[in-house]
């Protein structure tokens, strides 16, 4: 391994001089974080809503106010007919409509079931689900109040008290930001190493390099080593921004997190190396890396819970280093848990790193064929 | 098997790329300290031959012994005993002259004071002193070739392969480069060099003329010229090559 030093030094100097790549690698985390952190809110609030109130009575106004008070509905307009309401939703100017029929107050007074119609634009499942849940909630609260009054009971017979642990405010950034650390590392590190060896091939420097006694292992490790530092800088950037801009807590053992991150970074870089042994040109390397980005975002549990996926896709997800690193990230940062709970994930990451490096070294040829 | 009077020996060396036979049944022996010129038109197989001798390409058939090592058996061991300058500039354009030399010295296993000493030696041998902090990519053609040679010489290889080292270099720089080659050969280094310049071919101890992957003439420049009735080497080159192509067509 005595040629690792010179190889590392050379890669480091080249990396430092490649201002564009370096800028992108530091810039991407910042932009991504602001983008995801501000734009992605999985808790949907203030759905634009139109109201068709055919009864125009105090009790109907009261129920509309109840909808508005949930915070999920924002009344944008009152309309006079069903056609007008449908048109609002069809245009997309409203995503929900509340219809209160003429006999609503009468039914309510009589004690027969009074109906309210809530129409939801379900082409966007996330916000329509939130609307449906909120609408059901409004009805339930009202029902309970009416029934308990009728039964002359002062207190409710049953209440569930839900206590959200680890993220009491149910805030999206707490969930998104730790995940983003892993996603950003995966995307940038795989791409940058996938390009690294192919670039030498295209520039003609690989021929001069492999005609020396350098071993494949020295070459590969020397190539990725400087980027371990870049990965750690990226992670620190995201964590600090998350802490001070989005107020995401850093609950657990941060030193442990950095230890695991080191292994994950090596695994990601090794994956890039492996990609570089499969392709011939920088363009192919780029395409192969992008091909790899999507499953990482969709199947790793970064945005969508893996438990909800068919088993087949859960298995594919388990083959991605990111999936395991996300568990570690969220475990340490949000739950404050440690080695006792996360040793399996750590072991798997170590296995990924070792196997991927061994595979890349095996596949790499020190010849031009 | 290692004959001390021979540093390079090829036996039926052949290389195919699919249907193309780039090098066909090449048999050569080259002595230590010899400057051997490999001549031939574009695509005649010079680069392919050199790459096989450096362990960069595996022969399809036959083999070669370079500095006592069989290229088929230990392509890695060969790499410690040879220097190679590829036809295309193969150094790092985003590193300075000094950084390139430092890198290759390190890769060839030189460390500490011996590394610094050797680099200083090569720098003064090739006159690179005033260029040390210049980025390799900004060097002119002649200086690039010098730097390439410097990096290939770091580990004092007994055999040096130079693939068109002077292509696109001005006449004065070419002359300088060739006197360096002569010095190295006088010190015992075997030099195998390809070129398209006939004046350079004349400075080789022996030349091998390749056409369509095989050797069509071999000997001192004078001997080769004699083969076609004592004309110039350039005439011999053209006549022999045309003859070979006619035979191929027939
Ligand atoms: N990697 C390769 N794949 C396919 N064909 C190749 C490859 N390398 C060389 N060839 C073919 O082998 C033949 C010999 O090529 P080679 O580069 O050895 O010629 P050369 O004598 O060095 O030519 P030049 O003077 O142009 O450098 C050519 O027909 C070339 O197209
Ligand atoms: Mg050539």
């Amino acid at each position: 391994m005595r040629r690792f030093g010179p190889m590392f030094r050379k890669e480091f100097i080249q990396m430092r001089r490649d201002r564009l790549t370096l800028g992108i690698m530091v810039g991407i985390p910042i932009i991504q974080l602001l983008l995801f952190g501000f734009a992605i809110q999985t808790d949907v609030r203030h759905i634009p809503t139109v109201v068709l109130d055919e009864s125009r009575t105090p009790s109907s106004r009261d129920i509309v106010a109840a909808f508005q008070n949930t915070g999920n509905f924002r009344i944008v307009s009152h309309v006079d007919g069903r056609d007008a309401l449908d048109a609002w939703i069809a245009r997309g100017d409203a995503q929900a409509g509340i219809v209160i029929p003429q006999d609503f107050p009468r039914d309510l007074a009589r004690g027969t079931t009074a109906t309210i119609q809530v129409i939801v634009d379900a082409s966007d499942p996330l916000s329509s689900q939130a609307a449906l849940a909120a609408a059901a909630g409004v009805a339930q609260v009202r029902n309970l109040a009416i029934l308990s009054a009728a039964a002359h009971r002062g207190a409710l017979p049953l209440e569930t008290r839900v206590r959200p642990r680890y993220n009491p405010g149910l805030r999206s950034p707490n969930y998104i930001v730790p995940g983003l650390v892993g996603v950003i590392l995966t995307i940038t590190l795989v791409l940058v190493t996938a390009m690294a060896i192919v670039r030498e091939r295209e520039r003609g420097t690989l021929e001069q390099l492999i005609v020396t006694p350098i071993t494949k292992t020295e070459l590969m490790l020397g190539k990725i080593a400087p980027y371990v530092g870049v990965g750690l800088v990226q992670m620190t950037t995201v964590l600090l921004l998350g802490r001070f801009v989005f107020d995401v807590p850093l609950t657990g053992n941060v030193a442990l997190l950095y230890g695991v991150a080191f292994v994950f970074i090596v695994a990601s870089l090794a994956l890039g190396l492996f990609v570089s042994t499969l392709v011939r040109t920088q363009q192919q390397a780029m395409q192969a890396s992008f091909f790899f980005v999507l499953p990482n975002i969709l199947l790793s549990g970064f945005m969508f819970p893996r438990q909800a996926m068919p088993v087949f896709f859960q298995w594919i997800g388990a083959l991605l280093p990111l999936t395991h690193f996300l568990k570690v990230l969220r475990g340490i940062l949000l739950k404050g848990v440690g080695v006792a709970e996360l040793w399996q994930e750590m072991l798997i990451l170590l296995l990924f790193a070792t196997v991927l490096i061994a595979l890349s070294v095996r596949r790499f040829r020190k010849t031009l064929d | 098997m290692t004959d001390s009077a021979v540093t390079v020996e090829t036996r039926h060396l052949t290389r195919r790329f699919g249907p193309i036979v780039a090098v066909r049944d090449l048999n050569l022996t080259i002595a230590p300290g010899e400057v051997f010129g490999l001549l031939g038109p574009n695509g005649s197989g010079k680069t392919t031959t050199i790459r096989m001798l450096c362990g960069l390409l595996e022969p399809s058939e036959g083999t070669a012994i370079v500095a006592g090592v069989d290229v088929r058996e230990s392509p890695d061991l060969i790499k410690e005993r040879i220097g190679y300058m590829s036809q295309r500039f193969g150094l790092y354009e985003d590193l300075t002259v000094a950084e390139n030399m430092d890198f290759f010295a390190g890769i060839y296993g030189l460390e500490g004071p011996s590394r610094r000493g050797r680099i200083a030696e090569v720098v003064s041998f090739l006159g690179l002193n005033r260029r040390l902090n210049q980025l390799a990519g900004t060097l002119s053609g002649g200086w690039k070739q010098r730097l390439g040679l410097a990096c290939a010489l770091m580990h004092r290889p007994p055999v040096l392969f130079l693939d068109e080292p002077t292509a696109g270099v001005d006449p004065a720089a070419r002359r300088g480069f060739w006197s360096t080659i002569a010095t190295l050969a006088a010190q015992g280094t075997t030099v195998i060099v390809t070129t398209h310049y006939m004046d350079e071919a004349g400075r080789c101890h022996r030349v091998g003329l390749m056409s369509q992957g095989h050797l069509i003439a071999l000997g001192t420049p004078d001997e080769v010229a004699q083969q076609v009735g004592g004309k110039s080497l350039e005439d011999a080159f053209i006549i022999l090559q045309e003859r070979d192509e006619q035979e191929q067509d027939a």
Side-chain angles (χ1 to χ4, degrees), chain A residues 103-105 107-108 112-116:
Chain A
D103 14 349
F104 175 77
D107 288 345
L108 206 60
T112 54
T113 306
T115 30
I116 307 167

Side-chain angles (χ1 to χ4, degrees), chain A residues 228-242:
Chain A
V228 174
V230 175
L232 293 174
V233 169
Q234 288 183 318
M235 171 163 138
T236 309
T237 312
V238 177
L239 287 181
L240 287 179
L241 279 178

Side-chain angles (χ1 to χ4, degrees), chain B residues 42-43 45-48 87 163-164 194 196:
Chain B
N42 294 131
K46 307 180 295 294
T47 297
T48 307
Q87 182 168 350
D163 196 357
E164 293 194 32
T194 71
H196 288 294

Side-chain angles (χ1 to χ4, degrees), chain A residues 21-186:
Chain A
T21 309
L22 214 55
I24 290 174
M25 292 188 75
V26 178
I28 280 183
I30 298 175
I31 294 170
Q32 295 261 40
L33 182 75
L34 297 180
L35 219 65
F36 276 93
F38 281 122
I40 297 195
Q41 299 285 341
T42 46
D43 34 343
V44 183
R45 305 185 67 79
H46 311 300
I47 299 164
T49 307
V50 279
V51 174
L52 168 57
D53 185 354
E54 288 172 339
S55 73
R56 295 170 196 276
T57 53
S59 58
S60 70
R61 278 192 287 278
D62 185 38
I63 199 88
V64 171
F67 271 94
Q68 203 160 9
N69 289 341
T70 60
N72 292 75
F73 300 91
R74 179 168 55 90
I75 311 296
V76 288
S77 180
H78 288 264
V79 290
D80 288 329
R82 190 54 199 256
D83 291 343
L85 182 133
D86 287 342
W88 270 82
I89 295 180
R91 280 200 309 271
D93 291 340
Q95 279 187 303
I98 300 170
V99 182
I100 300 167
Q102 203 150 17
D103 14 349
F104 175 77
R106 198 190 61 208
D107 288 345
L108 206 60
R110 257 197 219 156
T112 54
T113 306
T115 30
I116 307 167
Q117 244 183 22
V118 178
I119 295 129
V120 172
D121 173 4
S123 57
D124 173 356
L126 205 58
S127 48
S128 63
Q129 262 168 31
L132 290 174
V138 169
Q140 200 173 2
V141 169
R142 285 278 143 150
N143 282 339
L144 279 172
I146 295 168
L147 288 175
S148 53
H152 305 291
R153 281 187 71 138
L156 294 175
L158 187 71
E159 188 191 344
T160 44
R161 284 203 184 142
V162 182
R163 287 175 52 209
R165 287 273 295 271
Y166 307 129
N167 184 6
L170 294 173
R171 302 176 61 240
S172 306
N174 288 16
Y175 186 69
I176 294 284
V177 170
L180 211 52
V181 172
V183 170
I184 288 169
L185 288 178
T186 302

Side-chain angles (χ1 to χ4, degrees), chain A residues 165-307:
Chain A
R165 287 273 295 271
Y166 307 129
N167 184 6
L170 294 173
R171 302 176 61 240
S172 306
N174 288 16
Y175 186 69
I176 294 284
V177 170
L180 211 52
V181 172
V183 170
I184 288 169
L185 288 178
T186 302
I187 295 176
T188 53
L189 296 180
V190 169
L191 184 66
V192 95
T193 32
M195 306 275 279
I197 287 188
V198 189
R199 189 185 310 131
E200 286 222 22
R201 194 186 293 282
E202 284 191 347
R203 288 188 184 164
T205 54
L206 192 68
E207 181 170 356
Q208 199 68 57
L209 183 57
I210 60 180
V211 83
T212 73
I214 192 169
T215 66
K216 296 195 278 180
T217 316
E218 288 162 340
L219 196 158
M220 296 258 160
L221 292 183
K223 269 246 169 261
I224 63 175
Y227 294 103
V228 174
V230 175
L232 293 174
V233 169
Q234 288 183 318
M235 171 163 138
T236 309
T237 312
V238 177
L239 287 181
L240 287 179
L241 279 178
R243 176 75 194 77
F244 293 109
V245 178
F246 295 104
D247 226 3
V248 176
L250 303 178
T251 308
N253 182 346
V254 175
L256 176 68
L257 180 65
Y258 271 81
V260 184
F262 180 86
V263 179
F264 172 72
I265 288 170
V266 173
S268 303
L269 292 168
L271 193 63
L273 278 185
F274 185 68
V275 170
S276 78
T277 65
L278 299 174
V279 297
R280 302 298 287 184
T281 64
Q282 291 195 66
Q283 184 152 18
Q284 289 171 348
M286 185 109 79
Q287 284 163 352
S289 310
F290 281 131
F291 172 77
F292 176 77
V293 165
L294 215 55
N296 265 289
I297 291 189
L298 297 180
L299 303 181
S300 64
F302 167 58
M303 289 184 70
F304 308 109
R306 289 182 68 230
Q307 302 88 297

Side-chain angles (χ1 to χ4, degrees), chain A residues 2-3 6-7 9-11 13-14 16-17 200-214 366-369, chain B residues 15 51 54-58 76 79-80 84-86 88 90-92 94-95 99 102-104 106-109 111 115 135:
Chain A
R2 67 192 166 134
R3 298 186 203 86
M7 188 69 198
R9 208 165 327 125
K10 172 216 138 203
E11 287 298 325
I13 298 173
Q14 287 187 303
R16 216 183 46 201
R17 290 213 177 121
E200 286 222 22
R201 194 186 293 282
E202 284 191 347
R203 288 188 184 164
T205 54
L206 192 68
E207 181 170 356
Q208 199 68 57
L209 183 57
I210 60 180
V211 83
T212 73
I214 192 169
K366 261 189 86 184
T367 60
L368 296 168
D369 317 64
Chain B
R15 172 70 204 209
R51 282 178 173 166
C54 294
L56 286 173
L57 279 177
E58 210 183 317
D76 281 329
K79 289 170 179 153
E80 297 182 5
Y84 169 65
M85 259 177 81
S86 64
R88 190 176 154 196
L91 302 181
Y92 298 98
D94 49 351
L95 296 186
E99 285 161 351
D102 199 50
F103 171 64
F104 280 96
I107 290 297
Y108 279 115
E111 280 163 353
R115 166 144 93 207
L135 285 181

